[in-house]
RNA sequence: GGGUGGUUAGCUCAGCGGAAGAGCGUUCGCCUCACACGCGAAAGGUCACAGGUUCGAACCCUGUACCACCCACCA
């Protein structure tokens, strides 16, 4: 005898191994078959997968398995991402734990450690993908990595092509600098967060001693780098001082008062301190007015180029001291509580310093254009559609992309410099390593994959490579091409590109999706995929983002271990409606776990009655009414399922199978069938049960691969035709000949009847073990329908003797209820509380009467009759008739009550 | 400041023009020979608020109020 509850662990391990060993998911190029391809959003090799990955991978696996079972040549391209800053940070932490820094061990050995880490962590991640059930071929040669040789070739090619067309340039711009990660970031790698702070009002004295000007700032420490104060030219308060000079407090410098339209008269004091080096708006203004720019905050986030007192101090500390010093000098007018947005690094959460720096950029305006066009034309679509507008808006306002990072882990920028020509432009550290490059003095980079042999300008032979690496998203942007071997003209590229769909979370829509689309258009003239399925973020049960610091992280590995992968997949997907965020808690898995157990028990039921190694087939020539009902329900389920799947409405499709299997198949059909399973009808019934159940498993398989594969395999011995693997089976489709609408109506009224009797039993506390005697009355026609279903009523309502008679008046010693056209009389012995019974009937009457009145009024309403569609009117009339009938019967019953007992 | 989504049962959310739904939780009765991770029966909702369109509105329109997220250089 099988255990009562499903044990997922061994089953999952078994199928992971078998699927791989059989090579079922190996990519194959077959020009006669249509490919269905998804490239995985490569997980960063930063550690373990989280709940968001579980969702992302599950969604993709569903698309892939569904496509495979539909008969497409499905290929899910796996791989991992080197993950730039994020991964470097992980390694820095590891080193710190060992008491080392990356500077101490040097660039080369640091990179060695990183590659070793990739070896370990990459494997861990692939193992976890297996556990999630991903139908990926995990053989080594199929796994891609954003930094392996082939991907490196793609990165170089892309860089060269962009450089060749003048779309990559190096320039000095205001960029976002993370002092913690010690690198520049692109604009979209900064996260803004509201912070409570102060607006400090500081007095700047005029040099002519004619008074002072008060400026308001949220960053007093930057005043040390002020090179002007700006006012609006139309601001009468300041018209007389424009052009005068101010003495910059705490320093010996003098700065001018300038006039600029950008200054908001109504904000603060209407006078703005201008720190060109450390504020984007000030930088622009400085360019208009040709102001000096002084860097007072270093790349390490410490004060520099400033009075001795603050030199080398961290920004936060300098801020406090400066405010104190101003207060002491009587120059702090007020300290106003103030909320404002502060930029934080998306990788380490530290404060971002905007500052001016020479970096590599990609010109994006023209790259975005073709993508905008494709999107507007509908050739590129996002699901859900709500993302279309934000996506377009972002592309339309796109800014140049800073692609250089001052870290070590990543694709080194393929730019080389002649040491001889670069005497004034190349800066080396004490170890002789190139640490900084400036092209301001006209040094020309040579873009090349290998070290150039000879300088074309001076004939020199010594070259050094740019010390920076590329933004990790630069290689990710090429992923849908690089995975197929681009820029080589490979067969894979030819066959699989463009891919079919991309599945990812909305948080990387701009960071990744937009850039893939641009790269695809630029390098291939084709989008990498026609549509994107955008899903939400897995949050905790309160809707909070999961984070280590909040301590609300749920680890998918723990969940899978405890409840099984199928349960987790079910629970995630059933909630993933419309791409919304998912509030996930351990509690929400229980529904999935229960469902897995439920279907497992269906197989248990089958095994209990079926004879081993015997073939069971449905006999479609001798179907009874319940068989037809069930086939018809399954048929509709197939129809709805495939409609939803085609529209990418996965949760809705899953919900339909769930409801079919649990409510219709288990709760009704199996129950209907039980008496016949103990009779000579057994084989026939089992045949149908097995057939419909295994077909349901097929529909369910993309969502819950392990349990369905396991059950299918355990049942396949009963099947006349079956594949070796459920995952390679063909999906069942709806068949017209199995749609029995009349039968559905009939059975539905039968179900109502049974429910009414059960309710009656519950109301009068008749224990389930006690069989009852029942008489059902109705008109002749309805009676004839009931007669053939008599047995089902008896078993499902716990009836000993059932009499079905036309037009009967209430027999003595019975309680009664009305269901549709039927009046039900249940014999009772002993004492029944007549008052209670009266109250029950009165209550029902009270509920129905006003409704009936309302409907009657409506049916008489001329404008309703005139405007409403015909079926609607008919429906209402039928409802009125039924209700009138029912009310009449209820009143009759109430009347009889007194004499009947 | 702009944009997007949300406000429906105690909780998490479906439904998006024709009698208010699911899962979990709650109450009552059942270890009925697949399943107590189960079965049966129930309780529980002026569908945020105010107008409007319509024969008819949770659903469409217009406002309002909160909530969430995204974008934006207001010091």
């Amino acid at each position: 005898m099988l255990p009562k509850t499903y044990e997922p662990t061994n089953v999952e391990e078994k199928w992971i191994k078998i699927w791989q060993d059989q090579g079922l998911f190996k990519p194959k190029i077959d020009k006669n078959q249509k490919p269905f391809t998804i490239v995985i959003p490569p997980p960063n090799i930063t550690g373990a997968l989280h709940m968001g990955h579980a969702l992302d991978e599950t969604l993709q696996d569903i698309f892939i398995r569904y496509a495979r079972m539909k008969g497409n040549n499905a290929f899910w391209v796996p791989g991992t991402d080197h993950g730039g800053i994020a991964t470097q940070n992980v390694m820095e932490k590891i080193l710190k734990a060992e008491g080392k820094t990356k500077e101490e061990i040097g660039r080369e050995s640091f990179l060695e450690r990183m590659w070793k880490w990739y070896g370990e962590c990459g494997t861990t991640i692939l193992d976890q993908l297996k556990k999630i059930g991903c139908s990926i071929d995990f053989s080594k040669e199929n796994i891609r990595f954003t930094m392996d040789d082939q991907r490196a070739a793609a990165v170089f090619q892309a860089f060269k092509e962009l450089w060749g067309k003048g779309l990559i340039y190096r320039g000095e711009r205001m960029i976002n600098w993370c002092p913690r990660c010690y690198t520049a970031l692109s604009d979209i790698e900064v996260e803004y967060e509201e912070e409570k702070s102060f607006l400090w009002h500081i007095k700047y004295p005029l040099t002519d001693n004619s008074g002072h000007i008060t400026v308001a700032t949220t960053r007093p420490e930057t005043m040390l780098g002020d090179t002007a104060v700006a006012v609006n030219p139309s601001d009468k308060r300041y018209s007389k001082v424009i052009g005068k000079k101010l003495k910059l407090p705490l320093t010996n410098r003098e700065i001018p008062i300038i006039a600029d339209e950008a200054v908001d008269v109504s904000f603060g004091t209407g006078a703005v301190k201008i720190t060109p080096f450390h504020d984007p708006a000030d930088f622009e203004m400085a360019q208009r007015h040709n102001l000096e720019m002084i860097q007072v905050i270093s790349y390490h986030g410490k004060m520099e180029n400033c009075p001795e007192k603050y030199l080398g101090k961290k920004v936060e500390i300098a801020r406090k001291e400066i405010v104190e010093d101003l207060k002491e000098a009587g120059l702090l007018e007020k300290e106003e509580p103030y909320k404002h947005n502060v930029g934080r690094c998306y990788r380490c959460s530290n404060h971002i310093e905007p500052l001016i720096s020479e970096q590599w950029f990609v010109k994006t305006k023209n790259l975005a254009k073709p993508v905008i066009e494709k999107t507007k034309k509908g050739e590129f679509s996002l699901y859900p559609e709500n993302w279309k507008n934000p996506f377009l808006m972002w592309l339309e306002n796109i800014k140049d992309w800073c692609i250089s990072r001052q870290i070590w882990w990543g694709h080194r920028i393929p730019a080389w410099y002649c040491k001889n020509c670069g005497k004034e432009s190349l800066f080396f550290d004490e170890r002789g390593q190139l640490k900084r490059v400036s092209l301001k003095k006209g040094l020309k980079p040579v873009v090349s994959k290998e070290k150039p042999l000879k300088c074309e300008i001076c004939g020199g032979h010594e070259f050094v490579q740019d010390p920076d690496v590329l933004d990790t998203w630069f290689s990710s942007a090429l992923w849908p091409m690089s995975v197929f071997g681009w820029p080589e003209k490979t067969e894979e590229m030819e066959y699989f590109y463009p891919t079919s769909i991309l599945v990812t979370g909305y948080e990387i829509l701009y960071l990744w999706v937009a850039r893939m689309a641009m790269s695809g258009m630029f390098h291939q003239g084709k989008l990498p995929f026609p549509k994107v399925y955008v899903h939400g973020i897995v949050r905790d049960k309160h809707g909070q983002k999961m984070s280590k610091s909040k301590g609300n992280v749920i680890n998918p590995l723990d969940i899978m271990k405890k409840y099984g992968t199928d349960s987790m997949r079910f629970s995630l997907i059933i909630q993933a409606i419309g791409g919304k965020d998912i509030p996930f808690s351990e509690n929400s898995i229980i529904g999935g776990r229960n469902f897995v157990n439920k279907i497992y028990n269906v197989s248990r039921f089958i095994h209990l009655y079926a004879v081993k190694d015997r073939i069971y087939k449905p006999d479609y020539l001798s179907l009874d009414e319940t068989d037809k009902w069930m086939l018809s329900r399954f048929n509709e389920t197939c129809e709805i399922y495939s409609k939803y799947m085609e529209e990418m409405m996965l949760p809705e499709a899953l919900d339909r199978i769930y409801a079919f299997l649990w409510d219709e198949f288990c709760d009704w059909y199996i129950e209907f069938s039980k008496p016949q399973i103990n009779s000579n009808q057994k084989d026939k019934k089992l045949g149908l049960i097995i057939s419909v159940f295994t077909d349901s498993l097929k529909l369910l398989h993309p969502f819950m691969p392990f349990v369905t594969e396991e059950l299918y395999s355990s049942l396949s011995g009963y099947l006349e035709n079956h594949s070796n693997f459920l995952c390679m089976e063909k999906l069942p489709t709806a068949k017209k000949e199995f749609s029995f609408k009349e039968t559905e109506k009939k059975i539905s009224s039968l179900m109502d009847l049974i429910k009414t009797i059960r309710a009656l039993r519950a109301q009068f506390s008749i224990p389930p073990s006690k069989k009852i005697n029942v008489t059902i009355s109705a008109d002749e026609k309805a009676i004839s329908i009931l007669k053939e279903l008599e047995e089902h009523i008896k078993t499902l309502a716990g009836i000993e003797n059932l009499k079905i008679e036309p037009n009967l008046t209430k027999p003595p010693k019975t309680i009664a209820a009305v269901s549709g056209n039927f009046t039900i009389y249940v014999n009772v012995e002993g004492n029944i509380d007549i008052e209670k019974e009266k109250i029950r009937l009165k209550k029902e009457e009270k509920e129905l009467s006003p409704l009936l009145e309302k409907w009657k009024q409506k049916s008489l309403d001329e404008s309703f009759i005139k405007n409403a569609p015909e079926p609607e009117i008919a429906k209402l009339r039928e409802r009125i008739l039924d209700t009138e009938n029912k009310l009449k019967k209820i009143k009759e019953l109430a009347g009889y009550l007194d004499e009947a007992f």
Side-chain angles (χ1 to χ4, degrees):
Chain A
M1 188 67 189
L2 290 160
K4 282 187 174 186
T5 47
Y6 175 69
E7 219 323 301
T9 314
N10 295 333
V11 172
E12 290 174 9
E13 273 168 22
K14 178 178 83 186
W15 288 110
I16 287 169
K17 186 163 187 309
I18 296 176
W19 287 334
Q20 288 306 308
D21 289 351
Q22 296 291 319
L24 299 181
F25 311 135
K26 273 203 189 314
K28 51 181 192 297
I29 292 174
D30 176 356
K31 295 208 168 124
N32 299 316
Q33 219 186 348
K34 210 181 144 201
F36 182 92
T37 318
I38 298 180
V39 294
I40 199 168
N44 282 348
I45 50 159
T46 43
L49 298 186
H50 52 68
M51 226 52 225
H53 289 113
L55 172 67
D56 192 51
E57 313 308 352
T58 301
L59 285 165
Q60 291 172 77
D61 194 46
I62 294 165
F63 283 122
I64 285 285
R65 286 183 187 269
Y66 173 71
R68 188 180 293 122
M69 292 178 79
K70 230 176 58 177
N72 286 325
N73 184 11
F75 178 28
W76 187 2
V77 193
T80 49
D81 196 308
H82 66 280
I85 303 168
T87 315
Q88 172 155 327
N89 286 351
V90 169
M91 183 52 70
E92 282 184 42
K93 269 185 199 151
I94 293 173
L95 289 175
K96 199 178 170 190
E98 296 171 10
K100 297 179 205 156
T101 66
K102 70 174 195 298
E103 286 73 21
E104 278 164 27
I105 68 170
R107 190 165 187 154
E108 242 172 75
S109 25
F110 182 81
L111 291 179
E112 254 172 55
R113 287 289 299 263
M114 290 301 296
W115 278 101
K116 203 175 144 227
W117 168 258
Y118 162 63
E120 296 156 13
C121 182
T123 312
T124 310
I125 285 172
L126 295 176
D127 273 348
Q128 292 175 357
L129 292 178
K130 285 180 199 165
K131 286 211 169 80
I132 292 171
C134 299
S135 56
I136 284 174
D137 180 68
F138 286 100
S139 39
K140 216 172 173 187
E141 69 275 10
N142 195 31
I143 308 295
R144 281 84 165 157
F145 178 51
T146 52
M147 253 169 76
D148 61 22
D149 289 345
Q150 219 169 24
R151 265 42 70 181
V155 165
F156 174 70
Q157 181 71 18
F159 193 97
K160 197 176 83 179
E161 283 185 22
L162 287 164
W163 173 256
K165 294 234 162 96
L167 294 174
I168 281 183
Y169 65 91
R170 199 177 153 93
E172 193 168 53
R173 300 287 128 93
M174 178 64 67
I175 51 96
N176 304 288
W177 182 269
C178 175
R180 218 299 309 148
C181 300
Y182 199 78
T183 182
L185 297 171
S186 69
D187 295 332
I188 41 178
E189 289 170 307
V190 181
E191 286 170 353
Y192 290 90
E193 199 183 298
E194 194 171 79
E195 265 181 33
K196 273 187 199 166
S197 175
F198 294 95
L199 192 58
W200 285 278
H201 291 62
I202 306 169
K203 293 179 193 169
Y204 283 17
L206 285 149
T207 48
D208 61 7
N209 291 324
S210 62
H212 68 267
I213 282 187
T214 304
V215 296
T217 181
T218 54
R219 300 206 57 189
E221 70 280 8
T222 61
M223 66 169 288
L224 302 177
D226 283 1
T227 51
V229 164
V231 295
N232 193 296
S234 67
D235 193 336
K236 283 179 189 140
R237 291 174 294 178
Y238 298 112
S239 49
K240 282 181 190 156
V241 294
I242 292 169
K244 284 190 176 181
K245 294 228 161 170
L246 294 163
K247 189 182 172 314
L248 186 64
L250 310 179
T251 71
N252 298 319
R253 286 197 289 118
E254 287 183 2
I255 56 172
I257 300 168
I258 59 168
D260 195 288
E261 300 281 352
V263 179
D264 182 348
V265 178
S266 61
F267 187 88
T269 59
V272 194
K273 63 191 265 319
I274 302 299
T275 320
F277 207 93
H278 297 288
D279 183 282
D282 294 1
F283 174 69
E284 279 174 26
M285 215 180 281
Q287 287 189 315
R288 288 197 287 271
H289 298 271
N290 222 349
L291 296 175
E292 196 191 346
M293 306 189 193
I294 307 170
Q295 177 167 13
V296 289
I297 297 166
S298 74
Y299 295 105
H300 289 287
K302 292 175 180 167
M303 303 309 293
E304 65 177 18
N305 298 323
C306 64
E308 190 78 31
K309 192 184 167 193
Y310 312 110
L311 205 61
K313 285 184 175 158
K314 278 195 165 178
V315 169
E316 295 78 20
I317 293 164
R319 175 181 299 178
K320 272 186 201 149
E321 290 186 5
I322 286 168
V323 168
E324 276 311 306
D325 293 346
L326 287 169
K327 213 183 268 177
E328 244 170 65
L331 294 172
L332 189 68
E333 197 173 285
K334 68 174 168 178
E335 226 177 25
E336 187 185 340
Y338 188 68
K339 274 189 215 161
H340 68 138
N341 281 337
V342 177
R344 287 176 178 279
C345 170
Y346 84 136
R347 286 309 182 204
C348 76
S349 280
N350 274 59
H351 281 156
I352 289 296
E353 290 297 340
L355 48 79
I356 298 165
S357 174
E358 207 181 314
Q359 301 284 344
W360 290 93
F361 293 88
V362 171
K363 262 189 211 169
T364 46
K365 274 258 169 317
N366 287 333
L367 293 176
K369 264 186 197 155
V371 179
I372 293 170
E373 272 171 40
K374 289 273 178 190
T375 310
K376 281 187 174 163
K377 272 195 244 162
E379 290 168 35
F380 185 63
S381 65
L382 297 130
Y383 173 90
E385 263 186 24
N386 318 346
W387 287 110
K388 186 177 169 179
N389 273 333
F391 185 73
L392 277 173
M393 264 166 61
W394 187 79
L395 284 172
E396 276 160 2
N397 299 307
I398 198 165
K399 281 182 225 141
D400 281 2
W401 173 16
C402 173
I403 52 169
S404 42
R405 298 289 177 272
Q406 285 64 51
I407 58 170
W408 290 349
W409 179 238
H411 290 281
R412 192 93 174 248
I413 289 179
W416 300 80
Y417 309 104
C418 168
K419 259 188 162 176
N420 184 45
C421 298
K423 274 176 191 150
E424 291 185 341
S425 309
L426 301 171
F427 304 91
F428 297 87
D429 64 15
E430 54 281 4
R431 297 185 191 200
Q433 299 283 319
L434 181 61
K435 74 174 179 198
R436 197 164 66 79
V437 179
S438 171
L439 304 191
K440 281 202 275 189
K441 294 205 169 139
L443 178 67
K444 291 271 178 287
V446 181
V447 170
S448 164
K449 193 156 197 226
E450 306 298 333
K451 189 187 258 197
L453 296 173
K454 193 176 163 194
C455 175
E456 285 179 7
I457 294 162
C458 74
H461 295 284
E462 277 195 276
F463 279 87
V464 281
Q465 187 171 11
D466 195 293
D468 290 354
V469 301
L470 286 163
D471 181 2
T472 188
W473 297 105
F474 190 90
S475 54
S476 314
L478 307 168
W479 186 245
M481 301 184 293
S482 67
V483 291
F484 300 126
W486 180 86
E488 302 283 317
K489 284 204 167 116
T490 61
E491 250 188 297
E492 282 202 335
M493 189 72 190
E494 183 65 32
Y495 182 68
F496 291 117
Y497 190 91
T499 63
S500 307
I501 185 171
L502 182 91
V503 179
T504 195
Y506 61 74
E507 73 272 21
I508 50 174
L509 200 55
Y510 310 134
L511 279 167
W512 191 43
V513 178
R515 284 157 176 178
M516 281 192 286
M518 290 191 287
S519 302
M521 287 308 294
F522 178 71
H523 297 291
Q524 281 291 304
K526 273 187 219 163
L527 287 163
F529 28 76
K531 53 190 172 183
V532 184
Y533 180 98
V534 185
H535 66 247
I537 294 168
V538 183
R539 296 170 178 273
D540 76 1
K541 62 178 163 186
H542 306 292
Q544 298 281 314
K545 233 176 181 168
M546 288 185 188
S547 76
K548 276 181 199 156
S549 55
K550 281 185 206 148
N552 60 351
V553 175
I554 298 176
N555 185 342
L557 290 174
D558 297 342
I559 294 296
M560 286 188 280
K561 202 171 163 195
K562 196 162 166 194
Y563 299 97
T565 299
D566 294 313
S567 309
M568 181 184 74
R569 289 172 60 128
F570 177 92
S571 310
L572 282 172
I573 299 306
I574 203 80
Q575 294 185 85
I577 297 152
K580 284 194 198 163
D581 288 354
I582 295 170
F584 193 81
S585 66
E586 212 167 316
N587 199 33
S588 62
I589 306 169
I590 289 176
R593 195 265 321 257
N594 294 354
F595 179 52
V596 170
N597 198 239
K598 186 75 184 175
I599 59 171
Y600 162 75
N601 268 288
V602 174
S603 79
R604 221 169 140 252
F605 174 79
I606 293 168
H607 286 307
L608 189 67
Y609 291 100
V611 178
K612 211 180 163 221
D613 297 328
R614 184 146 153 205
I615 301 295
Y616 290 89
K617 313 187 257 199
D619 178 3
Y620 293 116
L621 296 173
S622 68
L623 300 169
D624 69 22
E625 288 298 281
T626 61
D627 297 338
K628 283 162 80 180
W629 169 79
M630 202 258 323
L631 281 172
S632 193
R633 297 306 303 145
F634 180 68
N635 195 61
E636 194 184 299
T637 298
C638 284
E639 221 171 278
I640 294 172
Y641 172 89
S642 76
K643 183 180 145 259
Y644 280 144
M645 291 303 276
E646 292 302 318
E647 289 170 6
M648 299 191 285
M649 296 168 76
L650 309 187
E652 289 82 352
L654 177 57
D655 189 61
R656 180 80 277 271
I657 326 166
Y658 173 85
F660 169 75
L661 273 174
W662 200 314
D663 302 339
E664 301 181 321
F665 186 74
C666 289
D667 286 353
W668 286 102
Y669 184 67
I670 289 186
E671 294 307 323
F672 279 143
S673 307
K674 275 179 179 171
Q676 283 141 303
I677 279 182
N678 292 312
S679 76
N680 59 356
Q681 305 267 316
K682 177 177 159 183
D683 287 6
K684 212 176 77 180
K685 279 285 163 188
L686 275 178
L688 200 55
I689 285 177
I690 291 168
S691 148
V692 172
F693 183 59
T694 49
D695 272 353
S696 306
L697 291 178
K698 291 173 195 165
L699 300 182
L700 201 51
H701 180 261
F703 297 89
M704 305 164 86
F706 294 116
V707 66
T708 51
E709 186 77 82
E710 173 70 10
L711 299 185
Y712 181 79
S713 127
S714 85
L715 294 171
S716 59
Y718 305 129
L719 296 172
E720 194 174 23
N721 300 305
H722 67 87
S723 309
N724 289 332
F725 300 101
L726 179 60
C727 62
M728 307 307 278
E729 267 279 15
K730 290 273 174 298
L731 286 168
T733 48
K735 294 188 186 76
K736 263 196 191 140
E737 63 269 31
F738 287 149
S739 177
F740 305 106
K741 289 297 165 209
E742 276 308 307
T743 303
E744 286 200 35
K745 262 194 200 161
K746 212 192 274 184
I747 297 295
S748 155
S749 74
L750 172 75
M751 283 164 27
D752 283 343
L753 178 68
I754 291 166
K755 282 191 214 167
T756 309
I757 300 172
R758 285 171 175 172
L760 218 46
R761 295 184 65 122
Q763 272 162 16
F764 289 93
S765 303
I766 302 168
S769 52
K770 190 175 157 113
K771 299 275 181 201
I772 50 175
N773 295 326
V774 174
T775 309
I776 299 172
S777 163
D779 59 42
E780 300 277 358
K781 196 181 143 212
I783 287 290
S784 71
I785 294 171
L786 267 200
K787 289 262 177 180
E788 62 179 311
L789 300 166
E790 201 170 344
E791 280 311 305
H792 293 121
I793 306 170
K794 284 175 78 174
T795 35
L796 295 191
I799 295 170
E800 177 82 55
N801 296 306
L802 177 63
K803 267 194 275 180
I804 299 172
E805 284 178 25
N807 307 319
L808 201 72
T809 51
K810 183 177 180 297
K813 298 231 169 195
T814 55
I815 47 173
V818 181
S819 163
N821 293 319
F822 308 112
T823 313
I824 301 149
Y825 304 102
V826 175
N827 281 58
V828 282
E829 296 146 24
N831 299 322
I832 280 291
D833 188 338
I834 296 178
E835 284 312 308
K836 197 173 137 196
E837 177 65 352
K838 268 190 190 167
I839 289 166
R840 182 180 67 86
L841 289 169
K842 278 268 184 298
K843 194 184 151 207
E844 208 168 343
E845 191 190 329
K846 248 183 165 170
E847 276 167 9
L848 283 176
S849 299
L851 275 175
L852 181 65
E853 269 318 297
K854 211 175 90 186
W855 295 334
K856 273 184 169 171
Q857 293 252 313
K858 194 173 176 184
S859 75
L860 296 174
D861 187 341
E862 267 179 48
S863 48
F864 173 73
I865 300 295
K866 216 170 70 188
N867 293 303
E870 190 46 50
E872 210 45 57
I873 299 169
K875 227 166 80 184
L876 182 71
R877 289 198 172 135
E878 204 185 317
R879 202 155 71 210
I880 290 170
L881 238 78
D882 287 352
T883 313
E884 272 178 342
N885 213 326
K886 191 169 182 180
L887 265 174
K888 201 177 114 202
K889 284 182 191 159
I890 288 172
K891 278 182 194 160
E892 269 174 33
L893 290 173
Y896 281 124
L897 266 183
D898 293 320
E899 64 240 51
F901 267 86

